[in-house]
Amino acid sequence: MAIKFGRPIEMRDAPRRQAALASTPLDLAIRPRRNRKAEWARRLVRENVLTTDDLIWPMFVVDGHNTRAPVVSMPGVDRLSVDQAVRDAERAAKLNIPCIALFPYTEPSLRDEHGSEALNPNNLVCQSVRAIKKEFPEIGVLCDVALDPFTSHGHDGLIEDGRILNDETVAVLVKQALVQAEAGCDVIAPSDMMDGRVGAIRQALDEAGFLDVQIMSYAAKYASAFYGPFRDAIGSAKTLTGDKRTYQMDSANSDEALREVELDIAEGADMVMVKPGMPYLDVVRRVKDTFAMPTFVYQVSGEYAMIAGAAANGWIDGDHAMMESLLGFKRAGADGILTYFAPKAAEKLKAGG
Ligand SMILES: NCc1[nH]cc(CCC(=O)O)c1CC(=O)O
Ligand SMILES: [Mg+2]
C-alpha cells in the first residue's frame, strides 16, 4: 500500500460511505488500536515517562512567621514565611523532589530603583536558603537571579531614561549571584535576559571559589503574558512600568532561541531553560535536538493558573490535565520541569500515577 502519513493512494476514490455502513469487518492488516487495548499493553509501548526526578518546585517566600498567604491568581499556591518554606522543603525532601526554587515577595518599603535589597546577604531569599540547607542539606536549592522582586519599577535591570541598561545590570547581577552562593545556593538561575550575564557570573563564582555552584540559565525566555500571576505573587504586577520586550524574546522567534542558548552554553551554563512551557514546546524540542544539553522548561504561573483555575471551576479534570501537561514537556525533550504542580504531581506519582 502506498502510504506516507496521508491517505493511501489506493483509497483516494474508495466508496467510504459504503465501507462505513458495511457490517462485514474491514480488511485491515494494521490496526493501531491493538496496542491500546488494555492498560498493560499501553504501558508496554509507552514512549515517555514522567518521574519525580524531573521536578523542580518553585516557592514564594515572604516576611513573617508561621505565615501562608494565598496567591489569589494561583489557586493552591501560598507565599510562605521562612519557617513555612522549611516545612515545604521537608515535604519536598519526603517526596524525593530533587530541587526547589525560591522567589521573594519583597516589602515595598525595601524596593528601590536599583534593587539594592538583592545584594543584602540577609534578604529573604538568603535567609530561606540558609534555613533550608541547614535542615535539609540533601535537597537542591535554586535561586533566581534578576532584580525585578527588588526594584520599585518592577524591571529585571537598572533603568536610565526609560532604557534597561545591560552591562551595568550585569555588574549588579554578578554581586547578587555571589550573595546567593555565599548563602549556600546550589544552582544560580539568571532569569534577567541581559546579554553576557552567564559568562560574567561564571567567572565571578569561580574566582570566589564557588567552582561547584551550577548555572541554569533562563536562556530562551520570552516576553509573555503568562507571567501575570507570578508578578502578583512577588508584588511587581502593579508597579511594573511598561513591558519587558527589550530584553525578553519575541514570541515569534525560535531560530533566535538557538542563538541565545548557544551563547549561554559557550559562556558556561551547565543547564539551559526554555520559558514559558506549553506555548513553546517546539523550542524545547529544537534546543534539545540541537545542543543535547540538560534542557529544562518552566511551566509558568499563567499556565498553572489556567489549569488550576479551570479545575477549580469543574471545567476540566485538574489532575489529568496536570499530568498530561507535564508529560507533554517530556515528550518535547525536556529533562526537567519547573512547575508549581511539583508537590501534587510527586504525590500522584508516589501513589502509582
Ligand atoms: N525575572 C523574574 C522572573 N523569574 C521567573 C518569572 C516568571 C515565572 C512564572 O510566571 O511562574 C519571572 C517573571 C518575569 O520575567 O516577569
Ligand atoms: Mg542571552
mmCIF file with all atom_site columns, all heavy atoms in Angstrom, residues 83 168 180 230:
data_model
loop_
_atom_site.group_PDB
_atom_site.id
_atom_site.type_symbol
_atom_site.label_atom_id
_atom_site.label_alt_id
_atom_site.label_comp_id
_atom_site.label_asym_id
_atom_site.label_entity_id
_atom_site.label_seq_id
_atom_site.pdbx_PDB_ins_code
_atom_site.Cartn_x
_atom_site.Cartn_y
_atom_site.Cartn_z
_atom_site.occupancy
_atom_site.B_iso_or_equiv
_atom_site.pdbx_formal_charge
_atom_site.auth_seq_id
_atom_site.auth_comp_id
_atom_site.auth_asym_id
_atom_site.auth_atom_id
_atom_site.pdbx_PDB_model_num
ATOM 1  N N   . ASP A 1 83  ? 10.003 29.983 57.962 1.00 0.00 ? 83  ASP A N   1
ATOM 2  C CA  . ASP A 1 83  ? 9.776  28.729 58.697 1.00 0.00 ? 83  ASP A CA  1
ATOM 3  C C   . ASP A 1 83  ? 8.865  27.781 57.914 1.00 0.00 ? 83  ASP A C   1
ATOM 4  O O   . ASP A 1 83  ? 9.050  26.565 57.917 1.00 0.00 ? 83  ASP A O   1
ATOM 5  C CB  . ASP A 1 83  ? 9.192  29.039 60.087 1.00 0.00 ? 83  ASP A CB  1
ATOM 6  C CG  . ASP A 1 83  ? 7.900  29.822 60.004 1.00 0.00 ? 83  ASP A CG  1
ATOM 7  O OD1 . ASP A 1 83  ? 7.924  30.988 59.512 1.00 0.00 ? 83  ASP A OD1 1
ATOM 8  O OD2 . ASP A 1 83  ? 6.847  29.300 60.392 1.00 0.00 ? 83  ASP A OD2 1
ATOM 9  N N   . GLU A 1 168 ? 25.659 47.529 32.977 1.00 0.00 ? 168 GLU A N   1
ATOM 10 C CA  . GLU A 1 168 ? 25.559 47.983 34.369 1.00 0.00 ? 168 GLU A CA  1
ATOM 11 C C   . GLU A 1 168 ? 24.728 46.999 35.183 1.00 0.00 ? 168 GLU A C   1
ATOM 12 O O   . GLU A 1 168 ? 25.036 46.707 36.342 1.00 0.00 ? 168 GLU A O   1
ATOM 13 C CB  . GLU A 1 168 ? 24.919 49.378 34.438 1.00 0.00 ? 168 GLU A CB  1
ATOM 14 C CG  . GLU A 1 168 ? 25.751 50.498 33.825 1.00 0.00 ? 168 GLU A CG  1
ATOM 15 C CD  . GLU A 1 168 ? 25.630 50.597 32.288 1.00 0.00 ? 168 GLU A CD  1
ATOM 16 O OE1 . GLU A 1 168 ? 25.068 49.673 31.658 1.00 0.00 ? 168 GLU A OE1 1
ATOM 17 O OE2 . GLU A 1 168 ? 26.113 51.599 31.730 1.00 0.00 ? 168 GLU A OE2 1
ATOM 18 N N   . GLN A 1 180 ? 24.033 35.027 46.889 1.00 0.00 ? 180 GLN A N   1
ATOM 19 C CA  . GLN A 1 180 ? 23.229 33.795 46.984 1.00 0.00 ? 180 GLN A CA  1
ATOM 20 C C   . GLN A 1 180 ? 24.121 32.564 47.149 1.00 0.00 ? 180 GLN A C   1
ATOM 21 O O   . GLN A 1 180 ? 23.798 31.652 47.929 1.00 0.00 ? 180 GLN A O   1
ATOM 22 C CB  . GLN A 1 180 ? 22.351 33.656 45.733 1.00 0.00 ? 180 GLN A CB  1
ATOM 23 C CG  . GLN A 1 180 ? 21.271 34.740 45.654 1.00 0.00 ? 180 GLN A CG  1
ATOM 24 C CD  . GLN A 1 180 ? 20.533 34.746 44.329 1.00 0.00 ? 180 GLN A CD  1
ATOM 25 O OE1 . GLN A 1 180 ? 21.026 34.225 43.333 1.00 0.00 ? 180 GLN A OE1 1
ATOM 26 N NE2 . GLN A 1 180 ? 19.363 35.340 44.318 1.00 0.00 ? 180 GLN A NE2 1
ATOM 27 N N   . PHE A 1 230 ? 2.599  35.283 38.545 1.00 0.00 ? 230 PHE A N   1
ATOM 28 C CA  . PHE A 1 230 ? 3.891  35.364 39.250 1.00 0.00 ? 230 PHE A CA  1
ATOM 29 C C   . PHE A 1 230 ? 4.138  36.792 39.729 1.00 0.00 ? 230 PHE A C   1
ATOM 30 O O   . PHE A 1 230 ? 4.596  37.025 40.850 1.00 0.00 ? 230 PHE A O   1
ATOM 31 C CB  . PHE A 1 230 ? 5.018  34.923 38.300 1.00 0.00 ? 230 PHE A CB  1
ATOM 32 C CG  . PHE A 1 230 ? 6.424  35.109 38.830 1.00 0.00 ? 230 PHE A CG  1
ATOM 33 C CD1 . PHE A 1 230 ? 7.089  34.074 39.462 1.00 0.00 ? 230 PHE A CD1 1
ATOM 34 C CD2 . PHE A 1 230 ? 7.090  36.331 38.678 1.00 0.00 ? 230 PHE A CD2 1
ATOM 35 C CE1 . PHE A 1 230 ? 8.395  34.242 39.936 1.00 0.00 ? 230 PHE A CE1 1
ATOM 36 C CE2 . PHE A 1 230 ? 8.380  36.506 39.147 1.00 0.00 ? 230 PHE A CE2 1
ATOM 37 C CZ  . PHE A 1 230 ? 9.036  35.460 39.781 1.00 0.00 ? 230 PHE A CZ  1
#
